[in-house]
Amino acid sequence: MKYLKDWKVHALCFVMVIVSELIGKHSFNFGPVGFTLFPMLYALIIGIILAQFKLIDREMMTTASPYITISVMYLTAKMASSIGPNLEAVLNAGPALILQEFGNLGTIFLALPIAVCVFKMGRAAVGASFSTSREGSIAIVGNLYGLDSPEGQGVMGAYITGTLLGTIFNGLMASMLDKTGLFHPYALGMAAGTGSASMMSAALAPVVAAHPEMAGQIEAYAATSQVLTSVDGMYMSLFVAIPVTNWLYRVLKHEKKPAKAAK
């Protein structure tokens, strides 16, 4: 309860949220290429600017840190509540939508070797590389390792980077992939459901704009993919992605598997 007495942190967060929401969502289009900026991005930028001008000090950051864990508790409950009611939708969606979650494993084999071998990262690379580091990933790492751990720092770093650059990157990438003609608009709609509403909207906008006659179907595929990513993505991360990431990390670091504790 002592943290509730620090009115400066609460007041500052409240002001940042209000200002960000007043700025609102803004879309930018440059011919066939487009992207969208969301309020969360403005809140992060405001925080960075205030820290640069010393209006946010280290003590305030330390005070605010525990609230991340508290927020993750609500996030975990929300994620859990979406699994049960949507199990039927998962089963009826068909193999293509269900098996698409294996595509997220690509972050492990692409990002982890670069993080470990090129940037010489430690355990933070596990948190940053086992998934696309969206809200569900934060909830999982927060419960398994704690957000103050190296894995927690990794997933939070990747999450913030994704929030700052992800919407712009997704919008540009979706536009370029659509122009190649290699992918059906439905496939691009499915790919837009990354588990993040802002990233999905950014990736979906240029595809829908390029194929307005299929807008309804593309949006339906994206929405279904979004639900499935939130539902089966939780199980995929827990039982496949994290174990595989830990195994590959040990291989890259030439570490032995930790011995099991004696019973």
Side-chain angles (χ1 to χ4, degrees):
M1 295 298 294
K2 65 179 181 179
Y3 295 110
L4 298 178
K5 298 179 181 179
D6 196 323
W7 63 270
K8 293 185 293 183
V9 173
H10 295 282
L12 188 58
C13 289
F14 180 77
V15 171
M16 289 169 61
V17 169
I18 294 298
V19 171
S20 300
E21 290 294 335
L22 288 175
I23 296 174
K25 181 176 68 174
H26 293 280
S27 299
F28 299 88
N29 295 291
F30 304 95
V33 178
F35 59 88
T36 305
L37 302 181
F38 291 84
M40 183 180 291
L41 172 66
Y42 310 138
L44 288 171
I45 293 175
I46 292 171
I48 293 172
I49 293 174
L50 292 177
Q52 290 296 317
F53 284 95
K54 309 300 182 182
L55 297 176
I56 299 178
D57 55 27
R58 179 63 61 179
E59 182 179 356
M60 293 179 68
M61 295 180 190
T62 302
T63 301
S65 293
Y67 290 110
I68 299 176
T69 302
I70 296 173
S71 301
V72 167
M73 292 171 59
Y74 290 100
L75 177 60
T76 304
K78 178 181 181 299
M79 297 293 295
S81 67
S82 70
I83 293 176
N86 290 295
L87 282 178
E88 185 176 356
V90 174
L91 297 175
N92 294 331
L97 279 169
I98 296 175
L99 295 176
Q100 70 160 351
E101 195 59 38
F102 282 97
N104 284 338
L105 300 180
T107 61
I108 302 170
F109 299 100
L110 178 64
L112 187 64
I114 295 175
V116 173
C117 299
V118 178
F119 295 106
K120 309 301 180 183
M121 291 177 62
R123 291 289 302 176
V126 174
S129 304
F130 82 93
S131 71
T132 54
S133 299
R134 303 324 301 156
E135 287 82 356
S137 304
I138 296 176
I140 292 171
V141 172
N143 280 273
L144 289 180
Y145 302 102
L147 292 179
D148 291 330
S149 66
E151 293 86 353
Q153 295 170 6
V155 73
M156 286 304 300
Y159 176 79
I160 293 172
T161 303
T163 301
L164 288 169
L165 304 175
T167 53
I168 298 175
F169 179 83
N170 269 21
L172 296 174
M173 183 174 64
S175 296
M176 291 186 290
L177 290 176
D178 182 65
K179 288 299 179 182
T180 65
L182 297 175
F183 302 96
H184 193 280
Y186 293 170
L188 294 175
M190 289 170 54
T194 61
S196 166
S198 60
M199 287 188 177
M200 182 186 74
S201 300
L204 197 59
V207 180
V208 170
H211 307 277
E213 72 284 358
M214 293 187 282
Q217 295 91 328
I218 296 172
E219 290 172 355
Y221 273 98
T224 305
S225 172
Q226 180 81 349
V227 171
L228 292 177
T229 299
S230 299
V231 177
D232 65 349
M234 182 76 72
Y235 297 111
M236 183 67 72
S237 294
L238 281 171
F239 300 118
V240 179
I242 289 181
V244 170
T245 306
N246 280 317
W247 167 79
L248 184 57
Y249 178 83
R250 290 194 299 270
V251 171
L252 295 172
K253 286 285 191 177
H254 305 290
E255 295 180 354
K256 294 183 179 180
K257 185 176 181 180
K260 293 184 179 180
K263 294 183 179 180

